[in-house]
Amino acid sequence: MNSTLEQRAINTIRFLSADAVQKANSGHPGLPMGTASIAYVLWARHMRYDPQDPAWPNRDRFVLSAGHGSMLLYSMLHLSGYALPLEELKRFRQWGSKTPGHPEYGETPGVETTTGPLGQGFATGVGMAMAAAHLAGVYNRADLPLVDHWIYGIVSDGDLMEGVASEAASLAGHLRLGRLIYFYDDNRISIDGSTDRSFSEDRAARFAAYNWQVLHVADGNDLAALDQAVAAAKADPRPALIVCRTHIGFGLPTKQDTADAHGSPPGVEELAGAKEKLGWPTEPAFFIPEDVKEHFLAAGKAGQAAHAAWKELLHRYQQKEPALAAQFERVLAGELPAEMDASLPVFPPDAKGMATRQSSGKVINALAPVFPEFIGGSADLTGSNKTDFAGMVAFTPETPQGRYVYYGVREHAMGAAMNGMALYGGVIPYGGTFLVFFDYVKPAVRLAALMSQRVIYVFTHDSIGLGEDGPTHQPIEHLAALRAIPNVTVIRPADANETAYAWKAALENKTGPTALALTRQALPTLDRSAYAPAEESLKGAYVLKDYGGEPQVILMASGSEVPIIMDAAEQLAGEGIAARVVSFPSWELFEKQPQAYRESVFPASIRARVAVEAAATFGWHRWIGSDGAVIGLDHFGASAPFEILYREFGITAERVVEAAKHSLG
Amino acid sequence: MNSTLEQRAINTIRFLSADAVQKANSGHPGLPMGTASIAYVLWARHMRYDPQDPAWPNRDRFVLSAGHGSMLLYSMLHLSGYALPLEELKRFRQWGSKTPGHPEYGETPGVETTTGPLGQGFATGVGMAMAAAHLAGVYNRADLPLVDHWIYGIVSDGDLMEGVASEAASLAGHLRLGRLIYFYDDNRISIDGSTDRSFSEDRAARFAAYNWQVLHVADGNDLAALDQAVAAAKADPRPALIVCRTHIGFGLPTKQDTADAHGSPPGVEELAGAKEKLGWPTEPAFFIPEDVKEHFLAAGKAGQAAHAAWKELLHRYQQKEPALAAQFERVLAGELPAEMDASLPVFPPDAKGMATRQSSGKVINALAPVFPEFIGGSADLTGSNKTDFAGMVAFTPETPQGRYVYYGVREHAMGAAMNGMALYGGVIPYGGTFLVFFDYVKPAVRLAALMSQRVIYVFTHDSIGLGEDGPTHQPIEHLAALRAIPNVTVIRPADANETAYAWKAALENKTGPTALALTRQALPTLDRSAYAPAEESLKGAYVLKDYGGEPQVILMASGSEVPIIMDAAEQLAGEGIAARVVSFPSWELFEKQPQAYRESVFPASIRARVAVEAAATFGWHRWIGSDGAVIGLDHFGASAPFEILYREFGITAERVVEAAKHSLG
């Protein structure tokens, strides 16, 4: 205990973390012990944060991309005065604690994003830096830098090996996101052993190739070198990767620098050995020297002062730019503009109609002027996804106020970056790709759902209706895969007006992502004087029309298959069979309706049912029960003009008629 | 027409391709027109192939990673004499043709892999090169180089932007796969316009950082430079990226070097303009000069001669190494070793039991000695996935005969590389990660299914049973997502002996991938004298036991939830309710059974049913009908010891009993 205050502070981080892992008998001691000095330099010397108000908009962000090292973050949050009592650290990884195994957004004050699946935190931080650059571009005025802070992170070997981090790094370099400063925990160990086994690339050269500034800290415990690196990073307009040579499980007598230090409790003896080695009292566990406690709390207090100064700045801003200030507060609160409903286009009936991707494009164009927080983009399919809008400006280093992101062919980074933007706040991100490439985005979609973030996916070319590009581009299982994820709302509108309401539902869904599944091919715009109003689609499923009196059979479909069941219902009516046609754009919206409404659409007494979707039948049995039928595609598609595919694969009114009769017995 | 034979040959490629796109009124003319010279140099000067036997094991492979340029490949295959008549080129992208929109493995002779989703071809080629290096390491003998060829590819900007290509490139450099030679079609245009919009990294420096040899061809039509680059690539032990400056839509008078040349027919006038510009007759379409035809066929004939020489070499090999030769032929034929069944371990009853990941590890260990074609690995979770085996040697540049791949934290590249290995043949790849990280592998799993490849995924930690790592690591929707994919067999065994049969089923499944879902936590090994034999699990679902006479209610579960329904059945029997317990490890295997068998397991007359799975309930309604219940998790998990999670989330025998009674009415 005769070391410096700084060293004691760093050892406090190490052993708070290791003690918690040991007590839980589960967790990852290696990273916190190896990177404690980095965390110290950040929290004590560089980061601006207000532990009393973790949501202060101009705070620095910290992303622990290597989320398995969660105890590092919990130690820092506790020490710097966040509402995370020591008791919670002692309940690490236990039911109901605020200290889950990986950092979970919303569970712990001060945790900026959920991390754990490697690479995601890296790419999410890129999104945060995009949002910060954008908001600074929109709102900052001379001498009034409302948005003026940094995004820090610790990233691991595993993060850098993941493709999503590569995509995001390339994008960040391209966009010159200079506010991004990542420490690379270069400990040369992964779970399978030495990184020599699988990871021999020149990481520094790779990041330089991405247009990053690459800095080196030869000893990850060298505080002066870490300090200097941060200063150099701040002085450079590029994103920075600070390559820090660290030692996993630093201090552990036999496990340091081995994979054994990564993901298991060190063991009582090994932990005691580490404490002895680093001059730390072996007892009590969770020991925090009084001066260390004060030291960290002082850092938090400095942040509070910075926050107070920022509030004054905001006040001056409000005086000078009242309209912008009001907008800033509205968008940060996540409130929608009052003009939204009035701006939604109403599409006139049209037998020829248009593709729902096209009506979606018209909705985007209508909303963009009244939605300054709308920030769109596409993974290099702008013209196909119809995600662009009139008069838009690209988001570039020169035009950070721009609201359109050319993500390149980087679906996964797009998804993760949108998470970062949504978490950051002040923007509502939407991004486009083909529905089949949801596969590439999936890990990020899951995190959006888990973190309850308002992210909107514009998934076009949503079936075999895409035609000639063939099976690699035709989604089959994707609607099922999306619907199976908790807290994802999937909407597949059947015409232009349902598409407008799909957008409304997506924008109003503040607690989770929404996936819009949109056609490539044209669909008729229904004449709503003859059918139920399109607004009913907000309920997820609704009776479009009962054909020929008291219904005997229910036909249900989503999107492009609704016209097919309408045709079938006509044919059935001609044969004296009364069919109900249900447009079913969203299972999730429907499930939220009261039981009485659901029963009114699908009365239990009508057991003859046919569901139609040009996709896997998987999951539809829930709606058709034991006696119904599903018409879909439980095989891959093919390359041909789409009308031929519908016919050859039997997604036809004739087959629906047949199935309806069969279901009626 | 007064140009050289070579130029005429190259223009033939350009205009065959463009004419086909124009005729189909759909497709991508830009790539074939821009890279025709590269294809020419490869097919006419470097590649060894036998158009009469596209499966010749020692042929050079060609991967068109930018699969949208499929007409380039079809033109080459037609011209060089594969069984792809001109008539098929005229039916490009039409129903039933051999020329689908993207190259589809199995549809067209000479197409080595399905490509289209960008990045996949790149990474699949890496897998092919791994298989080639491995088989060369195992089988080649002095003066008897059975496996001695190259893997070529054309990759695009889009490929290089995709994360999976980054992962695979890093892996290929690490493994020093010197037989890999990729041409980078550096045309500086992507769908959204100039690559300056989104892709400004230094690609050459990035690949050098991955330990690739990077070569430059300043003019993609400079045949001598292309030639020299290939020669230099062959002479270097590293994988090679040949950066070729090309022009998308080369020759198109107004569309060359624009995004308009990428994915739409050029138009009649524009196409005629290109023909005029390049000195080509505007009529007839699909024109092939006689001397060009002969020229390409001669190249194919040279390949036939090489094939004949190789057959002689094989003959000498058979004389000298009869056992190895027989093994070579067996593994290339994809036949399983005769010893497989006898080698499968039988696990004695054990109430404490073991995790199915552990029994899987024991199966791997039992099979590895008799399966020389088994090539395993893990995405840096070897100890957790239990994918390693005694005495194994790592696959490295120094030990290419090694059968274990340290993939690093690169799940996606692992999946795509396994596709490449399976396509290559001679090996059966399996690879491990956590089930939740199936999300990262998904795009490659879909391709394995689409291409009917025998790839085995060892997905461990298959539920909330993984415990403390929490929701980011606990699969919920993943079983549903896997089951929804056509042609993927998912098996979730309930005990050690079911696990052995799961492996047998996976190995015997020659026409598609198999995903094994395995527990982290221990499961009892059932005493099969009291229950149906474990071999029944090969049928996908089977009656483990009827508790208390003629069943009134069916309880069904997979994997770790089977012991829970067994417990519930006991309790129900105690209350005088007869329950049938069905172990249901695989929906897909069950669906393949005759209707009579399926009816015998789930008689239509028994409508009271309860399904239990610690996962999303999505899809189970198919098996429980209108009157049954599903107990599962339609929300994310949490971080806590797994027993607590099961209790708190209600995956308990008590709740099954309750649901069974409710279902009985």
Side-chain angles (χ1 to χ4, degrees), chain B residues 400-486:
Chain B
Q401 78 281 10
R403 295 203 274 146
Y404 197 79
V405 184
Y406 290 104
Y407 286 101
V409 189
R410 303 186 186 97
E411 299 85 1
H412 200 172
M414 175 174 76
M418 290 201 292
N419 289 349
M421 286 191 254
L423 286 162
Y424 191 95
V427 292
I428 299 178
Y430 70 91
T433 187
F434 289 165
L435 177 56
V436 81
F437 299 134
F438 151 65
D439 284 350
Y440 281 79
V441 198
K442 166 72 207 291
V445 175
R446 182 169 217 258
L447 283 180
L450 182 55
M451 297 190 288
S452 303
Q453 292 304 299
R454 178 162 50 186
V455 171
I456 303 172
Y457 310 103
V458 181
F459 289 137
T460 70
H461 298 61
D462 70 350
S463 75
I464 51 168
L466 127 143
E468 290 89 341
D469 273 344
T472 57
H473 284 53
Q474 290 163 358
I476 296 289
E477 69 276 21
H478 302 77
L479 291 169
L482 274 159
R483 289 171 181 146
I485 310 170

Side-chain angles (χ1 to χ4, degrees), chain B residues 264-424:
Chain B
S264 316
V268 174
E269 207 172 311
E270 180 81 5
L271 180 50
K275 288 180 178 175
E276 278 163 27
K277 192 169 155 190
L278 299 184
W280 203 248
T282 50
E283 293 290 339
F286 299 95
F287 174 61
I288 305 172
E290 208 49 46
D291 58 347
V292 168
K293 187 180 283 182
E294 307 257 311
H295 181 57
F296 277 115
L297 291 178
K301 291 234 167 66
Q304 284 178 267
H307 185 185
W310 184 83
K311 279 181 178 162
E312 279 178 32
L313 185 149
L314 177 63
H315 187 72
R316 293 200 303 281
Y317 190 97
Q318 284 163 332
Q319 307 300 313
K320 209 159 174 183
E321 297 279 358
L324 262 186
Q327 180 180 305
F328 184 71
E329 293 189 83
R330 179 182 68 75
V331 299
L332 278 179
E335 301 300 338
L336 300 177
E339 304 87 339
M340 182 179 78
D341 284 343
S343 303
L344 278 178
V346 176
F347 297 91
D350 180 359
K352 190 176 159 230
M354 67 181 90
T356 50
R357 64 176 170 139
Q358 203 178 338
S359 38
S360 166
K362 288 179 189 293
V363 175
I364 290 171
N365 271 275
L367 294 177
V370 300
F371 261 95
E373 68 269 45
F374 226 31
I375 182 158
S378 166
D380 199 46
L381 287 169
T382 295
S384 296
N385 300 144
K386 310 284 183 207
T387 34
D388 50 345
F389 53 89
M392 77 188 189
V393 172
F395 174 73
T396 69
E398 294 75 30
T399 53
Q401 78 281 10
R403 295 203 274 146
Y404 197 79
V405 184
Y406 290 104
Y407 286 101
V409 189
R410 303 186 186 97
E411 299 85 1
H412 200 172
M414 175 174 76
M418 290 201 292
N419 289 349
M421 286 191 254
L423 286 162
Y424 191 95

Side-chain angles (χ1 to χ4, degrees), chain B residues 539-544 546 551 553-558 565 580-587 589-591 593-612 620 622-625:
Chain B
K539 295 177 183 160
Y542 65 108
V543 179
L544 201 57
D546 282 333
V553 56
I554 300 175
L555 310 180
M556 62 187 92
S558 76
I565 59 169
R580 160 168 293 185
V581 165
V582 173
S583 178
F584 201 167
S586 175
W587 298 12
L589 292 178
F590 184 63
E591 281 157 26
Q593 302 307 310
Q595 164 62 17
Y597 176 74
R598 286 184 281 142
E599 171 68 18
S600 79
V601 176
F602 296 123
S605 57
I606 311 182
R607 296 184 70 120
R609 300 176 178 196
V610 183
V612 188
W620 277 101
R622 175 167 177 197
W623 307 108
I624 58 160

Side-chain angles (χ1 to χ4, degrees), chain A residues 157-163 190 195 198-199 206, chain B residues 167 408-410:
Chain A
D157 289 299
D159 288 305
L160 299 197
M161 281 189 260
E162 288 286 4
S190 71
T195 50
S198 57
F199 193 43
R206 177 178 143 213
Chain B
E167 294 179 13
V409 189
R410 303 186 186 97

Side-chain angles (χ1 to χ4, degrees), chain A residues 106 109 262 323 383 390 409 424-425 521 554 559 591 634 665:
Chain A
H262 169 80
V409 189
Y424 190 95
Q521 73 275 30
I554 299 174
E591 281 158 25
D634 288 321

Side-chain angles (χ1 to χ4, degrees), chain A residues 93 163 167 170 200-201 607, chain B residues 163 167 170 174 201 469 607:
Chain A
R93 293 183 156 233
E167 294 180 12
S170 178
S200 53
E201 62 172 50
R607 296 184 69 119
Chain B
E167 294 179 13
S170 178
H174 174 76
E201 61 171 53
D469 273 344
R607 296 184 70 120

Side-chain angles (χ1 to χ4, degrees), chain B residues 346-353 495 497 524-529:
Chain B
V346 176
F347 297 91
D350 180 359
K352 190 176 159 230
D495 80 344
N497 288 306
T525 306
L526 300 183
D527 178 357
R528 295 291 171 166
S529 66

